[in-house]
Amino acid sequence: MSVQPQDVPSVDLHAHLGVPAVDALIEGEPGLARQRETDATAQGPASMAANIEQIEALGPRLTSLDLRLAAMDRGGVDIQAVSAVPLPHAWAGRDLAERIAALSNEAVAEYCARRPDRLVPIGTVALQYPDLAVGQLREAVTSFGVRGVQISTAAAPGVELDDPSLAEFWQAAEELGAAVLIHPWGCTLGARLNAYYLFNTVGNPVETALALSRIAFSGLLERHPGLRIWAAHGGGYLPSYVVRADHAWNTRPDARTTTEPPSVQLRRMWVDSLVYEPQQLRHLVDVMGPTQVTLGSDFPFDMGVDNPVERLLAAGFDAATVSAVRGGNAQRLLGPLPGFPPAPTGGVR
């Protein structure tokens, strides 16, 4: 019998929470001031002004449980994975980085615990200090019950996600069965993106494509086949042009770094459905495979969508694919979720 879309709850993997305690902790920090200067240079004055206005307007939706649940109901979302607003804190010193993660993980876990039938917590780690991040990951999973952690597209300036210093972190994530959610914040192209909101529309997908490319070519997923990596915004630009990476892998010795080509490595990761148009979503599922795409709304930001389920249905997939993207893939990624039948024997992979 075919799987019908209504057989599983709908799960939105991409939604954010404001954490006022962290905002208060870092306000006045020189590192935060430098981050804001960097962002202002990259965004340009028009986008910076619009973003400030947006954050002020979004404040209640970033923190109110009632407003979140109402938006979920309107959008047909049964369950939401909740992560903190992805402002990077790679500038923070070790002690401050430890406090940021602790406060964030506690706040996200407490917020989600108010409606555990609807909300699932995603944690934070200070990846710029790999040994600290390993301990934070273990504590977040064991003490706060997070299903995964959100990281940026690099661990720190000059430290990419394939850097050998992160080996213990990736090993711990695999051992714990914790998903690692990659979410960009702007782009290192800087002032070249300082108009038209290119900071986001070009910068975010470029950064994500770069991060996933380094993971794919590094062989990380061949060394850790149980690792669960997910990326926001449909994986950025990489799924749209991974054939170029495959061509390099096939023709150049410096790119032949893995047993299987980059497109195969990419299909071992997950991405969200936030690509806006039905034809783009069909292409994404064709490239990634129907088992590797989840719903994503980017709640409550303006670059997100209010109706991820409706957009999935508009793509015209068969019932099994709809069911997988709607929620089945999220359970494979995060583990058992409320309202789902027990996972098949053999794990969620």
Side-chain angles (χ1 to χ4, degrees), residues 3-10 78 313 319 322-323 326 339:
V3 178
Q4 298 303 311
Q6 63 267 27
D7 285 347
V8 298
S10 55
D78 299 307
L313 297 176
V322 170
S323 184
R326 177 187 173 95

Side-chain angles (χ1 to χ4, degrees), residues 291-307:
T291 64
Q292 305 306 117
V293 180
T294 74
L295 291 182
S297 72
D298 204 359
F299 176 87
F301 291 101
D302 60 0
M303 289 298 290
V305 298
D306 297 326
N307 56 345

